[in-house]
Structure formats: structure tokens, C-alpha cells
Amino acid sequence: MSATFLGMPATPPRSPYGTGHLRGDRMFPAAAHDELRNEQLRRNLGRATRTIRAKRIGVTGELPDWEELRDAGAAIKTDTMNRLPELLEELERNVTARGGTVHWARDGVEANEIVARLVRETGSDEVIKVKSMATQEIGLNEHLESLGITAHETDLAELIVQLAHDKPSHILVPAIHRNRDEIRQIFLKEIPGVDPALDNVPAHLAAAARAYLREKFMTTRVAVSGANFGIAETGTLSVVESEGNGRMCLTLPDTLITVMGIEKVLPRYQDLEVFLQLLPRSSTGERMNPYTSMWTGVTPGDGPQTFHLVLLDNGRTAALADRIGREALNCIRCSACLNVCPVYERTGGHAYGSTYPGPIGAVLTPQLAGMDAAKDDPNSSLPYASSLCGACFDACPVKIDIPSLLVELRHQHTERSGTTAEKLAMKAAGAVMSRPKVYTAAQKASRLGRVLARDGKLPALPPPLSGWSDSRDTPAPPQQTFRAWLASAEGTAAMREASAEHTRNQQQEDGA
């Protein structure tokens, strides 16, 4: 009897290179350098993130069990990831049993083809859309446009971005980098028939957008949405939003197509009790979402009569296979980590080059699309786009340890990068520091650098050390090393005095 070799297990495929919006054109440092020059952007971001931070702290502080809610959310998501295949199959059974149709998409290319086919089958050449990170991730709008199908964004911020031919820069508030004057100019230029006297009062801007969208809601027969949650137990899908546009898209059209990342599933309907408290407080600083829409399959005579659910992988199974990195899939897209991140607040979202910016994007994007798919892959720079201050971990409603994940991704990148100038420099430093005599000689030699110092600082260092001095002051070497000072008469006297003071303090404590 001969044995059959089935081969070694392989890592599941990541999002295909060159598709969708999970990879920028440049490394993060270069892109961030340009964004930092945009003073208007920095003012807009600073004002917006400070406001959201203050609101979040206020409403989370009202709950005596906030930390317990975070623990519950983390536990539910961890349990979900541990048995994701069976929960997805349960979700499919229940959606199908209630009149919906489930499609499985291995990647963004396949998901785009499925959605485009479903739209064409309706005979429509346009769709209305609920804000969706998943469809932005796969580049659905661009794919539909290439086929002559127009996608109309109905979320106000997404509409602003779309009309400006721009890209989102925030998970929750895609147009956070725009101010009221800029929005007014966009509407005057792009919305047909808008009042030329339109001013920058927020209520007036919203009214102009509402008038433009109302006709789309009433005449478009197909809607495309994302999903915040999918409930395996009942086949229920849920979208939370603040404007009511989602409610219009989810109820008025004849056909509804939902694209949902496979990690958005939850085991039980009861689990919503936890997440509908965590999400609004962490995202917008509200006690509850103004609009929470839930639908289960098709209901005759009520809402869309045709419902399709597209379950999107696009690298999520690859992330799930990473024992450490899979924690990133617990993300509920609240954007709390962006609003507390000092790096994001200064550079904005465009510097990350991905649909998912900020701290969670720096983790999630390399997990979904990889960071070594090509030479000098821009995604390889994302794990370094952080000060590792830990504010993101403190703010995350499901306690994702983002700083530790960033360090792990840095480790993975370093292991795969082969011989680099940094590795050679660290190897040389290790060789010097492991030999006391050589280390002492190197310390003495470093004092020669004082000749180049100005005001106690060295000028820009040559490559590969220039990455340090480009963004930090490099102090001049001291006149003497710590070892030399310790061996001197001054150092000996100081140590004796410190020892005597310690003895006196100990005697006082014993006497007390």
C-alpha cells in the first residue's frame, strides 16, 4: 500500500498585489513628510480628534462597568475567531433559510465581479451605497465605474470625498481632513443645481447634500452596503450610522447587496448588547447610535425583496493563520485608536496609503495584503509608523494590544529582509560591546565628535544613521564616560555621600 504525500500546509493567500486600496505608492516616512507640510490639514485633524477624544472620555466615564464591557467584547471576539469557520457556515444557513443568497469571495477581485454581476442582472446602471470600509478596501466603486455603473455614496463624509475625487483619511469620518469652507467649494463645483449663494453653515451644507441625495434614494433600485455585525444564530445583519442615509438605502431599493468581511460575524444575537454599547461610545462619543438598522433575509412586502450577502476573505484567513497577528481581526472599526494617536493626528490618513489608516491600519493592512510582496513594499514601513506610546491599547474597546502587534510585525519584517545596513550596524555594535577593552576605546574615540558639535548637539549624521538625526537631536558625546567619572575622585566622593545618605535614611526609618 503506497502512501500519498499531500504536501505541507501553506499560508492562505493575502489580498492580491495591485488590487483595491490596501497599499500606497510610497513608504510611510516619505508620504508623511509631505502631509506634515499641510498646515490646514494639521489644524483640521487636531481640532476634530481633540473634540472626539473629549466626548469619548465623557461617555465612557459614565459607565461603572466600562472595563468589564471591554473584557466582554474582547472575549466574544476571541471566541469568534477561534471558531470562525463553523460560525460562518451557521450564518450562511440562516441567511439562506430566510430568503437571502450567500456568496463567498476569496479576494477583492472576486467580490467585485460578484457584485457587478448581481447589479447587471437587475438591469440597473447605478447603485446607492451605505458607508462601507470593505467596499472601499476592494475598490468596488472604481470597478463598477469601469463597467458603466455609477455608485452614489450617501454618507455625507463619503459623499464629500467622492465629489472631491479624494480618498478617505479616517475610518469613521472619511472627510476629517476637510473644513467647512473646503466642503462648500466642493458642493458648489460638483452638485448639479446647488444654490450659488450656499454658505458654510453646517446645517445649510447638510441640506444641500440632502436635496441632492433624496432623488437618488427615491429612484435607484439597487443598494450596496457593508455590515458592522452579522449574527450567526439568526442570520441577521446590522448597520449602525448617524444620518439616516443607511436606513434609506436598506429599506427603499428592490435589491440589497451586502459586502461583509468574514471577521464581522458574531455568535449570538445577545452579543449585540455588548457591542452596541462599546461601538458608539468609542467611535463618536455617543451613548447610542442614532440609527441602528437590522434585517434578516427577505420579508415579503417590506424592504428589499432580493438580498445578497457577499462574505469577503481578501487576506483575512491569512491573518487568522498568524498566531499573534490574528488579534487584529477583533477590530470593530470604531477608530478610537486613530483619535488618540500622536502620529495619525499630525500626518492624517492619506500617509498610510490604505483604506485602514492609523494604529490599527498599521497592523491590519500588512496582515491582509502582506508587507513583502515586492521590493521596498510600502506596507513594510507601516509597523514603524508608531511611537509605541500605548494610547491606542488604552482606547481600544476590545483591548487589542496594538503596540505588541506592531513590534511583532517589525520582527517579522526584519527576519525576512535579509542583510541590511541596520543589521550590519547592530552586529558591529554587538561585537564592540561584548569586548570591554574595545568598548572603552570606542567610547574614548567618540569624544572626537565634540569638535563638530554646536550648542551641545551634533549636525545631521551620515547614512544609515541619518534616519535618526533627521527627526531627533543628536547630543554631543560627553567629555568623559560614566566609567571614567566613577573611577575619578569626584565620582568616588559622590558614591560615598550617596551611601552615607542611604544609611541615614535607613536609620531614621528604623527609629520611626
Side-chain angles (χ1 to χ4, degrees):
M1 181 177 179
S2 61
T4 302
F5 178 65
L6 299 178
M8 296 297 291
T11 301
R14 300 191 186 276
S15 174
Y17 187 86
T19 64
H21 299 293
L22 287 175
R23 183 174 276 102
D25 299 323
R26 297 185 295 167
M27 292 287 193
F28 179 84
H33 187 267
D34 291 345
E35 298 295 336
L36 287 170
R37 294 175 175 174
N38 188 336
E39 295 183 3
Q40 183 65 61
L41 170 73
R42 296 181 65 176
R43 283 195 295 271
N44 295 349
L45 281 171
R47 186 181 307 111
T49 53
R50 283 194 299 272
T51 300
I52 297 173
R53 281 200 301 269
K55 291 177 64 179
R56 182 185 66 83
I57 291 172
V59 296
T60 57
E62 296 173 349
L63 297 182
D65 62 343
W66 177 249
E67 289 305 315
E68 287 76 11
L69 276 170
R70 292 179 71 204
D71 288 334
I76 293 169
K77 292 296 289 185
T78 299
D79 172 61
T80 298
M81 294 307 118
N82 287 341
R83 51 196 189 98
L84 187 59
E86 65 182 77
L87 291 175
L88 290 172
E89 290 178 357
E90 183 181 1
L91 175 67
E92 179 186 32
R93 286 195 303 271
N94 286 318
V95 169
T96 303
R98 289 160 175 80
T101 304
V102 177
H103 310 261
W104 297 79
R106 286 168 291 188
D107 52 42
V109 175
E110 193 166 274
N112 284 337
E113 292 173 350
I114 291 170
V115 175
R117 172 174 56 81
L118 294 174
V119 175
R120 281 198 297 258
E121 287 175 356
T122 69
S124 178
D125 61 359
E126 59 181 351
V127 300
I128 49 176
K129 288 189 66 203
V130 186
K131 180 181 181 298
S132 165
M133 301 294 292
T135 59
Q136 172 66 23
E137 170 191 326
I138 63 178
L140 176 64
N141 286 11
E142 293 87 345
H143 180 73
L144 294 178
E145 184 180 6
S146 71
L147 300 175
I149 301 171
T150 303
H152 302 285
E153 295 289 353
T154 64
D155 174 84
L156 179 56
E158 287 284 2
L159 176 64
I160 293 166
V161 170
Q162 184 180 44
L163 293 177
H165 309 288
D166 198 356
K167 292 182 179 180
S169 63
H170 191 278
I171 287 177
L172 182 73
V173 194
I176 196 171
H177 55 291
R178 298 285 190 176
N179 61 28
R180 289 182 291 171
D181 289 327
E182 291 174 311
I183 295 169
R184 171 181 173 271
Q185 292 299 327
I186 293 168
F187 283 7
L188 287 173
K189 180 181 178 182
E190 299 292 338
I191 294 181
V194 72
D195 184 355
L198 178 68
D199 55 29
N200 66 359
V201 176
H204 298 166
L205 294 172
R210 184 181 298 113
Y212 169 71
L213 291 172
R214 185 58 54 122
E215 189 228 342
K216 304 300 180 186
F217 290 137
M218 301 303 294
T219 59
T220 307
R221 296 182 290 120
V222 182
V224 176
S225 84
N228 291 99
F229 308 105
I231 309 302
E233 179 183 55
T234 61
T236 301
L237 282 298
S238 177
V239 164
V240 298
E241 38 108 9
S242 299
E243 300 169 15
N245 63 293
R247 182 68 56 82
M248 302 284 274
C249 292
L250 297 167
T251 56
L252 293 178
D254 299 325
T255 299
L256 173 60
I257 305 168
T258 297
V259 181
M260 185 185 91
I262 57 175
E263 82 282 14
K264 295 296 187 68
V265 67
L266 294 176
R268 305 175 304 163
Y269 196 87
Q270 186 179 351
D271 296 330
L272 287 172
E273 176 187 355
V274 173
F275 292 99
L276 292 182
Q277 293 184 76
L278 289 173
L279 183 56
R281 284 178 165 85
S282 299
S283 57
T284 56
E286 296 173 293
R287 296 177 182 86
M288 65 180 293
N289 292 100
Y291 294 89
T292 299
S293 299
M294 290 184 278
W295 67 100
T296 306
V298 174
T299 302
D302 183 13
Q305 296 303 289
T306 304
F307 171 56
H308 297 274
L309 173 61
V310 181
L311 293 173
L312 174 69
D313 189 322
N314 206 38
R316 286 160 174 80
T317 302
L320 189 69
D322 187 319
R323 181 178 59 84
I324 298 174
R326 67 188 301 175
E327 186 181 352
L329 293 178
N330 289 357
C331 175
I332 59 174
R333 309 293 193 271
C334 70
S335 75
C337 61
L338 281 69
N339 299 326
V340 299
C341 177
V343 176
Y344 173 85
E345 183 177 351
R346 287 156 180 80
T347 65
H350 292 159
Y352 295 81
S354 167
T355 292
Y356 306 108
I360 190 61
V363 171
L364 190 59
T365 298
Q367 289 282 60
L368 297 179
M371 55 181 172
D372 300 292
K375 181 177 174 57
D376 297 327
D377 189 334
N379 281 355
S380 67
S381 64
L382 293 182
Y384 301 89
S386 170
S387 65
L388 300 180
C389 67
C392 51
F393 180 38
D394 293 338
C396 178
V398 290
K399 294 192 172 182
I400 300 172
D401 190 355
I402 296 175
S404 294
L405 296 181
L406 289 169
V407 171
E408 169 61 20
L409 287 175
R410 293 180 186 186
H411 166 72
Q412 292 179 13
H413 175 249
T414 301
E415 289 297 304
R416 297 169 187 160
S417 59
T419 301
T420 63
E422 182 180 10
K423 280 189 177 180
L424 293 175
M426 291 298 103
K427 188 174 182 179
V432 170
M433 293 178 182
S434 63
R435 297 171 174 82
K437 291 184 178 179
V438 177
Y439 183 52
T440 300
Q443 285 183 312
K444 292 179 178 179
S446 70
R447 292 203 295 269
L448 297 175
R450 293 182 61 83
V451 176
L452 303 175
R454 296 290 183 274
D455 298 324
K457 301 180 182 67
L458 291 177
L461 299 176
L465 303 177
S466 56
W468 174 275
S469 59
D470 284 348
S471 55
R472 304 173 180 86
D473 290 334
T474 307
Q479 290 185 344
Q480 62 177 168
T481 65
F482 174 77
R483 289 184 176 184
W485 173 84
L486 188 62
S488 68
E490 180 187 359
T492 301
M495 293 301 291
R496 285 175 178 170
E497 174 58 29
S499 178
E501 183 178 359
H502 174 73
T503 301
R504 290 192 297 271
N505 292 338
Q506 191 66 48
Q507 290 173 345
Q508 291 176 356
E509 290 178 6
D510 293 342

